[in-house]
Each structure stands twice: as C-alpha cells, then as structure tokens.
Amino acid sequence: MPDSSSDSSAAAETQYRPFGSGARAFRGGAIDALGLPALVLGASYLGFGSLVRESGYSLTLGLFSTMTGWALPGQVVLIELMALGSSLFAICLAVAMTNMRLLPMAVTLTPVLRVPGRASWRYYLAAHFCAVTAWVFTMRRAPSLPPEERLPYFLGFGAMVWAASMIGTATGYLLSATVPMQVSLGLVFLNPIYFMLMFMGDLGQRSRVLSLLIGVAAGPLLFQIDADWGLMIAGLGAGTLGFYIDRWLPRKGSGKGGHG
C-alpha cells in the first residue's frame, strides 16, 4: 500500500502550480499572505502595541522590537521584564529561550529553500521571516515549486505578514487610549488559536495526532512541576514520543507490528 505521505505530496503537486519566475513567486507569496494570515497576525500585534503603551514605552521601541525581533511571545516577555526592571542578561536569556521554538522551523525549512550555488546571505535574510505562519504555508507549497521559486515565495509571504505586524503594532499603540486594555491584549491570543486551526488540516497524519494528545496530557502536569521548563519539555517530549510511537505501531493495511 502506498505511504500516506506520498499521497499528500501528490495532492500538493496537483493543487499548486509553479509561478514561472522568481518575481511572480514573490508576488504569489505576498498575495497568499494578504488575506487571513496577515489579518490575524496584524490583529495579534494590536495587543502588543497596546501593551507597549500601557507599560510606558514609546512607539519607536515597539516598532523596533517588531522590526528586529518579530516573535510575539518573546516580545511580550521583553516588555514585561523591562517593566519589572530585570537585568539585560536575564531579559536576553528569557527572550532567547522563548524564541527557541523557531530554531527547528528554520533548520527544517532551509534545506527546502536552498539552491546549490546561491549566496548563503539570502538564507540568513530568510531566517528573519521564519514565523509559524510563513513556515506552514511554505512547507505546504514549496514541494510543488521549482527550487529557484521557493525562496522568493517564502520571502514574499514573510514580508507581507511582517509588514502587517508592523502596522498592527503601530495601530494598537495609537488606539490603546480608546480601546479597553482587556480587549486589545486579548487579541494576542488570536495567534495561537489561528496556528492551532492551521494545523488541524494535518491531523490525518497519525504522528501529529499522537504528539498533540501527549502534549495536551503532559503540558499542564509538567507546568505544575516546573513552570519555567515544563512547557518546553512537554513540547519536545510529546513530539519525540509521537514520532517513535507512530513508527512502532503497525501501518494501516500492514500486518507487521513495527518497522524493521
């Protein structure tokens, strides 16, 4: 029986078509991001802009944070620790640990985007746009594109949602005086809800379902044991266990109990 991953790849090949050039791929990525992805991310950053103002910091600082850091959980940690008067070392360490989730995405995405002979600085630039939204859309569409169109598509998508985040930061900061703080800060939670809905389309893969269920069960327990490391351990452990349990369980239509 054919492997399900090959079936999904074939479906992707029939659903998407090459753009024909790098410029068109960049434009196509920007258009794909212009709808719901940019809207949700921009709305999430309304809450961040409001947080910056309520914490007593300038719009310039908020925009600079989004322009350079562009990782909402880490930016929230940054503002909160600055407001508490934490040391620079503690702030840098906390932000780095919060944003460490982006490293596996960058590691898995780079080989997909890489073209032999292309200058390496392009990939360092691309790494800045490695947000969850851009990663998910690019990993779905890239296999159907020629290698030379993949990086432009990703940059177009990433640049659009990054620009929406900048606009959201500025708008949230300026509107925070007229919108209740509870409402504007609540918009921050649009981001994780949207990410969860995006991954719902991948629940046909057993390893991801197993990882999700293990994470849901282990996350609250480990958080009670260690609030600093519990969530990270739950995520890493759930993903690892889900992967290996999936390899150990028999495949659909196979009488064998595992992989040789």
Side-chain angles (χ1 to χ4, degrees):
M1 181 177 179
D3 187 77
S4 59
S5 61
S6 62
D7 294 339
S8 60
S9 298
E13 292 288 346
T14 57
Q15 184 178 1
Y16 300 123
R17 293 291 181 269
F19 292 98
S21 70
R24 290 179 180 177
F26 182 92
R27 186 166 59 249
I31 292 173
D32 284 351
L34 189 56
L36 193 59
L39 179 63
V40 171
L41 208 55
S44 300
Y45 270 86
L46 289 174
F48 175 70
S50 177
L51 176 64
V52 172
R53 182 163 185 168
E54 293 296 332
S55 300
Y57 296 107
S58 67
L59 175 59
T60 302
L61 186 144
L63 289 174
F64 184 77
S65 171
T66 301
M67 181 178 68
T68 57
W70 195 44
L72 188 55
Q75 290 177 253
V76 172
V77 169
L78 169 69
I79 296 299
E80 289 184 344
L81 290 181
M82 287 176 58
L84 292 174
S86 301
S87 67
L88 179 61
F89 175 78
I91 293 174
C92 291
L93 181 61
V95 172
M97 295 299 293
T98 304
N99 292 340
M100 190 177 292
R101 74 193 191 285
L102 300 173
L103 178 60
M105 287 189 284
V107 170
T108 56
L109 181 63
T110 300
V112 176
L113 302 179
R114 187 179 298 276
V115 175
R118 180 170 286 175
S120 298
W121 66 267
R122 297 171 183 264
Y123 305 106
Y124 289 104
L125 172 64
H128 179 65
F129 296 106
C130 194
V132 177
T133 315
W135 182 85
V136 170
F137 274 80
T138 303
M139 292 296 284
R140 286 177 178 174
R141 181 139 196 187
S144 65
L145 298 177
E148 61 272 12
E149 292 184 10
R150 296 175 183 178
L151 181 60
Y153 176 86
F154 175 73
L155 290 176
F157 193 105
M160 180 57 71
V161 290
W162 175 77
S165 303
M166 294 286 289
I167 294 172
T169 300
T171 305
Y173 187 94
L174 297 174
L175 291 181
S176 62
T178 58
V179 179
M181 183 179 179
Q182 293 83 352
V183 174
S184 58
L185 291 182
L187 293 172
V188 171
F189 292 97
L190 281 176
N191 226 8
I193 293 174
Y194 176 59
F195 295 154
M196 184 178 297
L197 292 176
M198 282 198 303
F199 284 117
M200 290 294 288
D202 294 327
L203 292 184
Q205 299 188 29
R206 185 172 60 185
S207 62
R208 298 183 183 182
V209 177
L210 289 170
S211 299
L212 178 62
L213 293 177
I214 296 171
V216 168
L221 177 62
L222 291 175
F223 181 80
Q224 295 297 324
I225 297 174
D226 191 330
D228 294 328
W229 294 92
L231 185 59
M232 183 180 299
I233 294 173
L236 180 61
T240 304
L241 285 175
F243 174 79
Y244 282 107
I245 292 175
D246 177 62
R247 290 179 60 86
W248 177 75
L249 291 174
R251 294 286 181 185
K252 185 177 178 180
S254 172
K256 296 182 179 181
H259 294 261

